[in-house]
Short mmCIF file of all heavy atoms in Angstrom, two decimals:
data_model
loop_
_atom_site.label_atom_id
_atom_site.label_comp_id
_atom_site.label_asym_id
_atom_site.label_seq_id
_atom_site.Cartn_x
_atom_site.Cartn_y
_atom_site.Cartn_z
N THR A 266 23.52 -40.99 162.10
CA THR A 266 23.26 -41.08 163.53
C THR A 266 23.45 -39.73 164.21
O THR A 266 22.62 -39.29 165.01
CB THR A 266 24.17 -42.13 164.18
OG1 THR A 266 23.94 -43.41 163.57
CG2 THR A 266 23.89 -42.24 165.67
N LEU A 267 24.55 -39.05 163.90
CA LEU A 267 24.83 -37.76 164.54
C LEU A 267 23.80 -36.70 164.16
O LEU A 267 23.18 -36.07 165.02
CB LEU A 267 26.24 -37.28 164.15
CG LEU A 267 27.41 -38.08 164.73
CD1 LEU A 267 28.74 -37.55 164.20
CD2 LEU A 267 27.39 -38.03 166.25
N PHE A 268 23.59 -36.51 162.86
CA PHE A 268 22.66 -35.47 162.41
C PHE A 268 21.21 -35.87 162.68
O PHE A 268 20.38 -35.00 162.97
CB PHE A 268 22.87 -35.18 160.92
CG PHE A 268 24.09 -34.37 160.63
CD1 PHE A 268 25.29 -34.99 160.31
CD2 PHE A 268 24.07 -32.99 160.69
CE1 PHE A 268 26.42 -34.25 160.05
CE2 PHE A 268 25.19 -32.23 160.43
CZ PHE A 268 26.38 -32.86 160.11
N GLY A 269 20.89 -37.16 162.58
CA GLY A 269 19.53 -37.59 162.87
C GLY A 269 19.19 -37.41 164.34
O GLY A 269 18.08 -37.00 164.67
N THR A 270 20.14 -37.68 165.23
CA THR A 270 19.91 -37.48 166.65
C THR A 270 19.74 -36.00 166.97
O THR A 270 18.84 -35.62 167.74
CB THR A 270 21.09 -38.05 167.47
OG1 THR A 270 21.24 -39.44 167.15
CG2 THR A 270 20.85 -37.89 168.95
N PHE A 271 20.58 -35.17 166.38
CA PHE A 271 20.46 -33.72 166.61
C PHE A 271 19.12 -33.20 166.10
O PHE A 271 18.43 -32.43 166.78
CB PHE A 271 21.60 -32.99 165.91
CG PHE A 271 21.52 -31.49 166.02
CD1 PHE A 271 21.92 -30.84 167.18
CD2 PHE A 271 21.04 -30.73 164.97
CE1 PHE A 271 21.83 -29.46 167.29
CE2 PHE A 271 20.95 -29.35 165.06
CZ PHE A 271 21.35 -28.72 166.23
N PHE A 272 18.71 -33.64 164.92
CA PHE A 272 17.43 -33.20 164.35
C PHE A 272 16.27 -33.69 165.20
O PHE A 272 15.31 -32.94 165.47
CB PHE A 272 17.29 -33.72 162.92
CG PHE A 272 15.96 -33.41 162.29
CD1 PHE A 272 15.68 -32.15 161.80
CD2 PHE A 272 14.98 -34.39 162.19
CE1 PHE A 272 14.45 -31.86 161.23
CE2 PHE A 272 13.75 -34.12 161.62
CZ PHE A 272 13.49 -32.85 161.14
N GLY A 273 16.32 -34.94 165.65
CA GLY A 273 15.25 -35.48 166.47
C GLY A 273 15.11 -34.75 167.79
O GLY A 273 14.00 -34.44 168.22
N LEU A 274 16.23 -34.44 168.45
CA LEU A 274 16.17 -33.69 169.69
C LEU A 274 15.65 -32.27 169.46
O LEU A 274 14.88 -31.74 170.27
CB LEU A 274 17.56 -33.63 170.34
CG LEU A 274 18.10 -34.94 170.92
CD1 LEU A 274 19.53 -34.76 171.39
CD2 LEU A 274 17.22 -35.44 172.05
N ALA A 275 16.09 -31.66 168.36
CA ALA A 275 15.67 -30.28 168.06
C ALA A 275 14.17 -30.18 167.83
O ALA A 275 13.58 -29.11 168.04
CB ALA A 275 16.43 -29.75 166.84
N VAL A 276 13.54 -31.27 167.40
CA VAL A 276 12.10 -31.26 167.15
C VAL A 276 11.32 -31.78 168.36
O VAL A 276 10.33 -31.17 168.79
CB VAL A 276 11.76 -32.09 165.90
CG1 VAL A 276 10.24 -32.20 165.72
CG2 VAL A 276 12.39 -31.47 164.66
N CYS A 277 11.76 -32.91 168.92
CA CYS A 277 11.00 -33.57 169.98
C CYS A 277 11.00 -32.79 171.30
O CYS A 277 9.97 -32.70 171.98
CB CYS A 277 11.55 -34.98 170.22
SG CYS A 277 11.27 -36.12 168.87
N ILE A 278 12.15 -32.21 171.68
CA ILE A 278 12.23 -31.53 172.97
C ILE A 278 11.31 -30.30 173.01
O ILE A 278 10.49 -30.17 173.93
CB ILE A 278 13.69 -31.13 173.28
CG1 ILE A 278 14.55 -32.39 173.45
CG2 ILE A 278 13.77 -30.28 174.54
CD1 ILE A 278 14.20 -33.24 174.63
N PRO A 279 11.40 -29.36 172.05
CA PRO A 279 10.46 -28.22 172.10
C PRO A 279 9.00 -28.63 171.99
O PRO A 279 8.14 -28.06 172.65
CB PRO A 279 10.88 -27.36 170.90
CG PRO A 279 12.27 -27.78 170.59
CD PRO A 279 12.34 -29.23 170.93
N CYS A 280 8.74 -29.65 171.15
CA CYS A 280 7.36 -30.10 170.95
C CYS A 280 6.81 -30.71 172.25
O CYS A 280 5.69 -30.40 172.66
CB CYS A 280 7.31 -31.11 169.82
SG CYS A 280 5.65 -31.65 169.40
N GLY A 281 7.60 -31.56 172.88
CA GLY A 281 7.15 -32.18 174.12
C GLY A 281 6.95 -31.16 175.23
O GLY A 281 5.98 -31.24 175.99
N TYR A 282 7.86 -30.18 175.31
CA TYR A 282 7.71 -29.15 176.35
C TYR A 282 6.47 -28.30 176.09
O TYR A 282 5.73 -27.97 177.02
CB TYR A 282 8.96 -28.27 176.39
CG TYR A 282 8.77 -27.02 177.20
CD1 TYR A 282 8.63 -27.10 178.59
CD2 TYR A 282 8.69 -25.77 176.60
CE1 TYR A 282 8.41 -25.95 179.35
CE2 TYR A 282 8.50 -24.63 177.34
CZ TYR A 282 8.36 -24.72 178.72
OH TYR A 282 8.15 -23.58 179.46
N ALA A 283 6.26 -27.93 174.83
CA ALA A 283 5.08 -27.10 174.50
C ALA A 283 3.79 -27.82 174.87
O ALA A 283 2.86 -27.22 175.41
CB ALA A 283 5.10 -26.74 173.02
N LEU A 284 3.73 -29.12 174.60
CA LEU A 284 2.52 -29.88 174.92
C LEU A 284 2.35 -30.09 176.43
O LEU A 284 1.25 -30.43 176.89
CB LEU A 284 2.57 -31.25 174.23
CG LEU A 284 2.39 -31.21 172.71
CD1 LEU A 284 2.68 -32.57 172.10
CD2 LEU A 284 0.99 -30.75 172.34
N SER A 285 3.40 -29.89 177.20
CA SER A 285 3.27 -30.00 178.65
C SER A 285 2.71 -28.73 179.28
O SER A 285 2.28 -28.76 180.44
CB SER A 285 4.64 -30.31 179.27
OG SER A 285 5.51 -29.19 179.19
N ARG A 286 2.69 -27.65 178.53
CA ARG A 286 2.18 -26.38 179.06
C ARG A 286 0.66 -26.36 178.98
O ARG A 286 0.06 -26.58 177.93
CB ARG A 286 2.75 -25.22 178.23
CG ARG A 286 4.24 -25.01 178.38
CD ARG A 286 4.54 -24.18 179.61
NE ARG A 286 3.97 -22.86 179.50
CZ ARG A 286 4.64 -21.81 178.99
NH1 ARG A 286 5.88 -21.94 178.57
NH2 ARG A 286 4.05 -20.63 178.91
N ARG A 287 0.03 -26.07 180.12
CA ARG A 287 -1.44 -26.06 180.18
C ARG A 287 -2.03 -24.86 179.46
O ARG A 287 -3.22 -24.86 179.14
CB ARG A 287 -1.89 -26.07 181.65
CG ARG A 287 -1.56 -27.35 182.38
CD ARG A 287 -2.10 -27.35 183.79
NE ARG A 287 -1.90 -28.62 184.47
CZ ARG A 287 -0.80 -28.95 185.12
NH1 ARG A 287 0.19 -28.07 185.21
NH2 ARG A 287 -0.69 -30.13 185.70
N ASP A 288 -1.22 -23.83 179.22
CA ASP A 288 -1.73 -22.64 178.54
C ASP A 288 -1.57 -22.70 177.03
O ASP A 288 -1.82 -21.72 176.33
CB ASP A 288 -1.02 -21.38 179.07
CG ASP A 288 0.49 -21.47 178.92
OD1 ASP A 288 1.01 -22.58 178.75
OD2 ASP A 288 1.16 -20.41 178.98
N LEU A 289 -1.17 -23.86 176.49
CA LEU A 289 -1.04 -24.01 175.03
C LEU A 289 -2.43 -24.17 174.42
O LEU A 289 -3.19 -25.07 174.78
CB LEU A 289 -0.19 -25.24 174.70
CG LEU A 289 -0.04 -25.57 173.22
CD1 LEU A 289 0.80 -24.50 172.52
CD2 LEU A 289 0.59 -26.95 173.02
N PRO A 290 -2.81 -23.29 173.47
CA PRO A 290 -4.13 -23.41 172.83
C PRO A 290 -4.26 -24.72 172.04
O PRO A 290 -3.30 -25.15 171.40
CB PRO A 290 -4.17 -22.20 171.89
CG PRO A 290 -3.14 -21.25 172.42
CD PRO A 290 -2.07 -22.10 173.03
N PHE A 291 -5.41 -25.34 172.13
CA PHE A 291 -5.73 -26.58 171.40
C PHE A 291 -4.74 -27.71 171.73
O PHE A 291 -4.43 -28.55 170.89
CB PHE A 291 -5.74 -26.33 169.88
CG PHE A 291 -6.61 -25.21 169.45
CD1 PHE A 291 -6.04 -24.02 169.01
CD2 PHE A 291 -7.99 -25.31 169.50
CE1 PHE A 291 -6.83 -22.96 168.62
CE2 PHE A 291 -8.80 -24.26 169.09
CZ PHE A 291 -8.22 -23.07 168.66
N ARG A 292 -4.27 -27.72 172.96
CA ARG A 292 -3.31 -28.74 173.36
C ARG A 292 -3.90 -30.14 173.22
O ARG A 292 -3.24 -31.05 172.72
CB ARG A 292 -2.85 -28.50 174.80
CG ARG A 292 -1.74 -29.46 175.24
CD ARG A 292 -1.30 -29.20 176.67
NE ARG A 292 -2.34 -29.53 177.63
CZ ARG A 292 -2.10 -29.93 178.88
NH1 ARG A 292 -0.85 -30.02 179.30
NH2 ARG A 292 -3.08 -30.21 179.70
N GLY A 293 -5.13 -30.32 173.65
CA GLY A 293 -5.76 -31.64 173.57
C GLY A 293 -5.93 -32.10 172.14
O GLY A 293 -5.71 -33.28 171.83
N LEU A 294 -6.33 -31.19 171.25
CA LEU A 294 -6.52 -31.54 169.84
C LEU A 294 -5.20 -31.93 169.19
O LEU A 294 -5.12 -32.94 168.47
CB LEU A 294 -7.15 -30.35 169.10
CG LEU A 294 -7.34 -30.53 167.59
CD1 LEU A 294 -8.28 -31.69 167.30
CD2 LEU A 294 -7.86 -29.24 166.96
N ILE A 295 -4.16 -31.16 169.45
CA ILE A 295 -2.85 -31.46 168.87
C ILE A 295 -2.35 -32.81 169.37
O ILE A 295 -1.83 -33.62 168.59
CB ILE A 295 -1.85 -30.34 169.23
CG1 ILE A 295 -2.29 -29.02 168.61
CG2 ILE A 295 -0.45 -30.70 168.74
CD1 ILE A 295 -1.47 -27.82 169.04
N MET A 296 -2.51 -33.06 170.66
CA MET A 296 -2.07 -34.33 171.23
C MET A 296 -2.86 -35.49 170.63
O MET A 296 -2.30 -36.57 170.35
CB MET A 296 -2.23 -34.29 172.74
CG MET A 296 -1.44 -35.36 173.47
SD MET A 296 0.33 -35.14 173.30
CE MET A 296 0.82 -36.82 172.91
N GLY A 297 -4.15 -35.27 170.41
CA GLY A 297 -4.98 -36.31 169.80
C GLY A 297 -4.54 -36.64 168.40
O GLY A 297 -4.52 -37.81 168.00
N ILE A 298 -4.17 -35.61 167.62
CA ILE A 298 -3.68 -35.84 166.25
C ILE A 298 -2.37 -36.63 166.28
O ILE A 298 -2.16 -37.56 165.48
CB ILE A 298 -3.49 -34.50 165.52
CG1 ILE A 298 -4.85 -33.81 165.33
CG2 ILE A 298 -2.79 -34.70 164.19
CD1 ILE A 298 -4.76 -32.42 164.75
N PHE A 299 -1.49 -36.28 167.21
CA PHE A 299 -0.22 -37.00 167.33
C PHE A 299 -0.46 -38.47 167.67
O PHE A 299 0.15 -39.36 167.05
CB PHE A 299 0.65 -36.35 168.41
CG PHE A 299 1.39 -35.13 167.92
CD1 PHE A 299 1.24 -34.67 166.63
CD2 PHE A 299 2.23 -34.44 168.77
CE1 PHE A 299 1.91 -33.55 166.18
CE2 PHE A 299 2.91 -33.32 168.34
CZ PHE A 299 2.75 -32.87 167.04
N VAL A 300 -1.31 -38.71 168.64
CA VAL A 300 -1.58 -40.09 169.06
C VAL A 300 -2.24 -40.87 167.93
O VAL A 300 -1.97 -42.07 167.75
CB VAL A 300 -2.45 -40.10 170.33
CG1 VAL A 300 -2.87 -41.52 170.69
CG2 VAL A 300 -1.69 -39.47 171.50
N PHE A 301 -3.09 -40.22 167.14
CA PHE A 301 -3.75 -40.88 166.01
C PHE A 301 -2.72 -41.45 165.04
O PHE A 301 -2.89 -42.55 164.50
CB PHE A 301 -4.65 -39.87 165.30
CG PHE A 301 -5.37 -40.45 164.11
CD1 PHE A 301 -6.55 -41.16 164.28
CD2 PHE A 301 -4.88 -40.29 162.83
CE1 PHE A 301 -7.22 -41.70 163.20
CE2 PHE A 301 -5.53 -40.82 161.74
CZ PHE A 301 -6.71 -41.53 161.92
N THR A 302 -1.61 -40.70 164.82
CA THR A 302 -0.60 -41.17 163.87
C THR A 302 0.17 -42.37 164.40
O THR A 302 0.83 -43.07 163.61
CB THR A 302 0.40 -40.04 163.56
OG1 THR A 302 1.09 -39.66 164.77
CG2 THR A 302 -0.32 -38.83 163.00
N MET A 303 0.08 -42.65 165.70
CA MET A 303 0.76 -43.82 166.25
C MET A 303 0.03 -45.11 165.86
O MET A 303 0.64 -46.18 165.82
CB MET A 303 0.84 -43.73 167.78
CG MET A 303 1.70 -42.59 168.29
SD MET A 303 1.72 -42.50 170.11
CE MET A 303 2.58 -44.02 170.52
N TYR A 304 -1.26 -45.02 165.58
CA TYR A 304 -2.06 -46.20 165.30
C TYR A 304 -2.45 -46.32 163.82
O TYR A 304 -2.76 -47.42 163.37
CB TYR A 304 -3.33 -46.19 166.15
CG TYR A 304 -3.06 -46.21 167.63
CD1 TYR A 304 -3.05 -45.05 168.39
CD2 TYR A 304 -2.79 -47.41 168.28
CE1 TYR A 304 -2.79 -45.07 169.75
CE2 TYR A 304 -2.54 -47.46 169.64
CZ TYR A 304 -2.54 -46.27 170.38
OH TYR A 304 -2.28 -46.30 171.73
N PHE A 305 -2.47 -45.22 163.11
CA PHE A 305 -2.91 -45.25 161.71
C PHE A 305 -1.88 -44.54 160.84
O PHE A 305 -1.40 -43.46 161.19
CB PHE A 305 -4.28 -44.57 161.56
CG PHE A 305 -5.36 -45.19 162.40
CD1 PHE A 305 -5.69 -44.66 163.64
CD2 PHE A 305 -6.03 -46.32 161.97
CE1 PHE A 305 -6.67 -45.22 164.43
CE2 PHE A 305 -7.02 -46.89 162.75
CZ PHE A 305 -7.34 -46.35 163.98
N GLY A 306 -1.55 -45.16 159.71
CA GLY A 306 -0.61 -44.57 158.76
C GLY A 306 -1.05 -44.86 157.34
O GLY A 306 -1.89 -45.74 157.08
N GLY A 307 -0.48 -44.14 156.40
CA GLY A 307 -0.86 -44.31 155.00
C GLY A 307 -0.34 -45.58 154.37
O GLY A 307 -0.91 -46.08 153.41
N GLY A 308 0.75 -46.11 154.88
CA GLY A 308 1.34 -47.31 154.28
C GLY A 308 2.55 -46.96 153.44
O GLY A 308 2.92 -45.80 153.25
N LEU A 309 3.18 -47.98 152.90
CA LEU A 309 4.43 -47.82 152.17
C LEU A 309 4.28 -47.05 150.86
O LEU A 309 5.04 -46.13 150.57
CB LEU A 309 5.05 -49.20 151.90
CG LEU A 309 6.34 -49.20 151.08
CD1 LEU A 309 7.44 -48.43 151.80
CD2 LEU A 309 6.79 -50.64 150.81
N ILE A 310 3.27 -47.42 150.07
CA ILE A 310 3.13 -46.81 148.74
C ILE A 310 2.80 -45.31 148.83
O ILE A 310 3.46 -44.49 148.17
CB ILE A 310 2.07 -47.56 147.91
CG1 ILE A 310 2.55 -48.98 147.63
CG2 ILE A 310 1.78 -46.83 146.60
CD1 ILE A 310 1.57 -49.85 146.88
N PRO A 311 1.82 -44.88 149.63
CA PRO A 311 1.59 -43.44 149.76
C PRO A 311 2.81 -42.69 150.31
O PRO A 311 3.11 -41.58 149.87
CB PRO A 311 0.41 -43.36 150.74
CG PRO A 311 -0.29 -44.65 150.60
CD PRO A 311 0.79 -45.66 150.36
N THR A 312 3.52 -43.33 151.26
CA THR A 312 4.72 -42.69 151.80
C THR A 312 5.78 -42.51 150.72
O THR A 312 6.42 -41.46 150.62
CB THR A 312 5.30 -43.53 152.95
OG1 THR A 312 4.30 -43.71 153.95
CG2 THR A 312 6.51 -42.84 153.57
#
Protein backbone atom coordinates (compact mmCIF):
# COMPACT_ATOMS: atom_id res chain seq x y z
CA THR A 1 0.00 0.00 0.00
CA LEU A 2 2.73 2.48 0.94
CA PHE A 3 5.05 1.86 -2.01
CA GLY A 4 2.20 1.30 -4.46
CA THR A 5 0.60 4.61 -3.50
CA PHE A 6 3.92 6.43 -3.82
CA PHE A 7 4.59 4.84 -7.22
CA GLY A 8 1.08 5.60 -8.46
CA LEU A 9 1.30 9.26 -7.44
CA ALA A 10 4.78 9.57 -8.95
CA VAL A 11 3.42 8.41 -12.32
CA CYS A 12 -0.17 9.73 -12.39
CA ILE A 13 0.47 13.30 -11.17
CA PRO A 14 3.16 14.27 -13.75
CA CYS A 15 1.28 12.43 -16.50
CA GLY A 16 -2.02 14.13 -15.71
CA TYR A 17 -0.39 17.55 -15.49
CA ALA A 18 1.47 17.07 -18.77
CA LEU A 19 -1.76 16.12 -20.54
CA SER A 20 -3.42 19.26 -19.18
CA ARG A 21 -0.89 21.46 -20.97
CA ARG A 22 -2.15 22.71 -24.33
CA ASP A 23 1.41 23.02 -25.65
CA LEU A 24 2.11 19.27 -25.26
CA PRO A 25 2.81 17.76 -28.72
CA PHE A 26 0.40 14.99 -29.79
CA ARG A 27 -1.67 15.53 -26.66
CA GLY A 28 -4.87 14.34 -28.33
CA LEU A 29 -3.23 11.18 -29.70
CA ILE A 30 -1.69 10.27 -26.35
CA MET A 31 -4.99 10.84 -24.57
CA GLY A 32 -6.77 8.71 -27.16
CA ILE A 33 -4.34 5.83 -26.60
CA PHE A 34 -4.86 6.07 -22.84
CA VAL A 35 -8.64 6.07 -23.17
CA PHE A 36 -8.45 3.10 -25.58
CA THR A 37 -6.81 1.01 -22.84
CA MET A 38 -9.79 1.69 -20.56
CA TYR A 39 -12.10 -0.23 -22.89
CA PHE A 40 -9.83 -2.83 -24.51
CA GLY A 41 -7.24 -5.12 -22.94
CA GLY A 42 -5.30 -8.23 -23.85
CA GLY A 43 -6.86 -10.42 -21.19
CA LEU A 44 -5.44 -12.61 -18.45
CA ILE A 45 -3.32 -15.02 -20.50
CA PRO A 46 -1.41 -12.40 -22.56
CA THR A 47 -0.89 -10.36 -19.38
